[in-house]
Amino acid sequence: MTKGERTRRKIVADAAPVFNTRGYEGSSLNDLMSATGLKKGGIYRHFASKEELAAEAFDYAWAAALECRAPSADEKVSGVAWLKELIDNFVTRRPAVAGGCPLLNTAIEADDGNPILRARVSKALQLWTAQLETVVTRAMRQRQMRSGTDPRQVATIIVSTLEGALMMSRLEKHGDALQQARAHLHDYLDRLAVAAPRRRRTRHSA
Amino acid sequence: MTKGERTRRKIVADAAPVFNTRGYEGSSLNDLMSATGLKKGGIYRHFASKEELAAEAFDYAWAAALECRAPSADEKVSGVAWLKELIDNFVTRRPAVAGGCPLLNTAIEADDGNPILRARVSKALQLWTAQLETVVTRAMRQRQMRSGTDPRQVATIIVSTLEGALMMSRLEKHGDALQQARAHLHDYLDRLAVAAPRRRRTRHSA
């Protein structure tokens, strides 16, 4: 990696918590200079615009969030356990980049404008839900989850409930909403899971 | 109402969609002047600060959202029908103030700062969840909902799932996530509802 590349990466890492905490519009050049320890020219030698820096900072923060929440269970062996662990990690772990979930923050700010950021966060949501759908589809094929389960619906309910509860918990400054979301989603997955097979009772043994 | 009061109200109504669409930080004085047709002095004769105007605009937008989503069912007679209608209205109706749900938008922007806006949106969330809890508690007393139901949990799951799905639908530019949230929440309420009593079968009629 060249010195220029290292500097570029450091600027992204330093700018990420500023954008994730204050938002794109709320992050001033002064905030970015103070976080990076660079002057305006030192930052914009590496980025064409504030929007380009914000887009890279979003990718960085989102990658950190995905890594922080990644389950240790093998998604190819137990899809239900993998989904439950993802939910638990979302609820209990705080990603390395401060300010809450980058996907939620950036989606809300970019949904009415800012096309570069909007495209990045749309892609992130699409990849995340597609990953959850793949896990559900495989779990159905392996008869861990009921046939007729809608993978897209499961992905939507997990993402929407977690992100909505995170909004509530951050506003309420306590974790009750996230814990309630966790219990609800575990119960939801338990109802979709195929119970371990029992020995069939015969009339004689009844 | 004095002319001054009328002007003040008109400024709030004109500014509300600007703040709800572009965010507090993203709303410039030029945006506000253009929306209200007033010059800086004409706006700030009525408000001490941009923050005060934004707080009033939030209250206005949130009141419009509540009114738009208000069920026609009587919450004192059928709590479950009232909750289902609230969910349907959230999913199908678009409030008068453009830009999405004011509670979600303002919560995300204000959760890390902006104490005046933060206090307003915290209060709004608290009142909304308290209303849902009251409906659930009454429905339990009336034996429409199972005893042992946690009113706070029901309120949290409804609010978080709807707000999270709205974030997804606005980003995806189609309503699938909201429709899936609606189906999921109806199913959730059906499981909490006490089924209408059936005539007990006797051995003779079996």
Side-chain angles (χ1 to χ4, degrees):
Chain A
M1 207 191 290
T2 66
K3 184 162 177 270
E5 283 165 351
R6 275 200 304 276
T7 307
R8 200 175 195 280
R9 290 206 184 186
K10 189 178 175 305
I11 295 171
V12 169
D14 290 343
V18 177
F19 284 117
N20 203 42
T21 305
R22 308 181 66 93
Y24 173 76
E25 293 288 352
S27 299
S28 67
L29 181 59
N30 274 337
D31 296 330
L32 295 169
M33 291 193 303
S34 161
T36 57
L38 296 172
K39 296 197 175 150
K40 182 178 176 180
I43 296 175
Y44 288 113
R45 187 180 306 139
H46 298 274
F47 299 91
S49 63
K50 180 183 171 186
E51 209 169 16
E52 185 186 310
L53 172 55
E56 301 263 324
F58 167 75
D59 285 349
Y60 176 88
W62 180 238
L66 286 178
E67 192 188 329
C68 165
R69 296 167 186 162
S72 61
D74 186 344
E75 68 189 78
K76 292 184 181 165
V77 176
S78 174
V80 176
W82 188 90
L83 291 168
K84 284 186 174 179
E85 199 183 337
L86 177 77
I87 291 160
D88 293 351
N89 291 349
F90 189 102
V91 167
T92 58
R93 296 180 183 176
R94 297 279 65 84
V97 177
C101 180
L103 189 144
L104 179 62
N105 294 343
T106 313
I108 295 304
E109 189 166 10
D111 59 2
D112 286 307
N114 207 325
I116 296 181
L117 269 180
R118 197 182 197 292
R120 296 284 175 119
V121 69
S122 293
K123 184 83 182 288
L125 176 62
Q126 195 191 323
L127 289 174
W128 192 25
T129 53
Q131 184 190 24
L132 302 188
E133 286 177 54
T134 302
V135 171
V136 172
T137 304
R138 191 188 296 111
M140 278 168 64
R141 265 206 316 268
Q142 294 171 341
R143 312 209 175 181
Q144 293 169 29
M145 290 180 89
R146 289 169 191 261
S147 65
T149 302
D150 178 352
R152 175 77 194 154
Q153 161 107 5
V154 177
T156 298
I157 296 309
I158 292 174
V159 171
S160 63
T161 311
L162 288 176
E163 296 288 2
L166 180 62
M167 177 274 285
M168 294 178 71
S169 274
R170 284 181 60 81
L171 198 59
E172 293 171 344
K173 294 196 175 174
H174 59 70
D176 290 4
L178 278 168
Q179 290 297 340
Q180 285 161 343
R182 178 186 172 279
H184 176 77
L185 291 173
H186 274 242
D187 182 55
Y188 171 60
L189 290 174
D190 284 341
R191 273 180 290 106
L192 294 176
V194 173
R198 291 190 199 169
R199 278 191 63 178
R200 202 169 143 200
R201 288 187 182 180
T202 63
R203 287 199 176 203
H204 290 290
S205 68
Chain B
M1 206 190 292
T2 65
K3 182 160 177 272
E5 284 165 350
R6 275 201 303 277
T7 307
R8 200 176 193 279
R9 290 205 185 187
K10 190 179 174 302
I11 295 171
V12 169
D14 290 343
V18 177
F19 283 117
N20 203 42
T21 305
R22 307 180 65 93
Y24 172 77
E25 293 287 353
S27 298
S28 68
L29 181 59
N30 274 337
D31 296 330
L32 296 169
M33 292 194 304
S34 160
T36 57
L38 296 171
K39 296 196 175 150
K40 182 177 176 180
I43 297 174
Y44 288 112
R45 187 179 306 138
H46 299 274
F47 300 91
S49 62
K50 180 182 172 186
E51 208 168 18
E52 186 185 311
L53 173 55
E56 302 262 324
F58 167 74
D59 285 348
Y60 176 89
W62 180 237
L66 285 177
E67 192 188 328
C68 164
R69 296 168 187 161
S72 61
D74 185 344
E75 67 189 77
K76 292 184 182 166
V77 176
S78 176
V80 176
W82 188 90
L83 291 168
K84 284 185 175 180
E85 200 184 337
L86 177 78
I87 291 160
D88 293 351
N89 291 349
F90 189 103
V91 167
T92 58
R93 296 181 183 175
R94 296 279 65 85
V97 177
C101 180
L103 189 143
L104 179 62
N105 294 343
T106 313
I108 296 303
E109 190 166 9
D111 59 2
D112 287 307
N114 208 324
I116 296 181
L117 269 180
R118 196 182 198 293
R120 296 284 174 121
V121 69
S122 293
K123 184 84 182 288
L125 176 62
Q126 196 191 323
L127 289 173
W128 192 24
T129 53
Q131 184 190 23
L132 301 188
E133 286 177 53
T134 302
V135 171
V136 173
T137 303
R138 191 189 294 109
M140 277 167 65
R141 265 207 314 269
Q142 294 172 342
R143 311 209 175 183
Q144 293 169 29
M145 290 179 89
R146 291 169 190 260
S147 67
T149 302
D150 178 353
R152 174 78 195 154
Q153 162 107 4
V154 177
T156 298
I157 297 308
I158 292 174
V159 171
S160 62
T161 311
L162 288 176
E163 296 288 3
L166 180 62
M167 177 274 287
M168 293 177 72
S169 274
R170 285 180 60 80
L171 198 59
E172 293 171 344
K173 293 194 176 175
H174 60 70
D176 290 3
L178 278 168
Q179 290 297 339
Q180 285 161 341
R182 179 186 172 280
H184 176 76
L185 291 173
H186 273 243
D187 183 55
Y188 171 60
L189 290 173
D190 284 340
R191 273 178 290 106
L192 294 177
V194 173
R198 292 189 197 170
R199 277 191 62 178
R200 203 168 141 200
R201 287 187 184 182
T202 62
R203 289 202 173 200
H204 291 289
S205 68

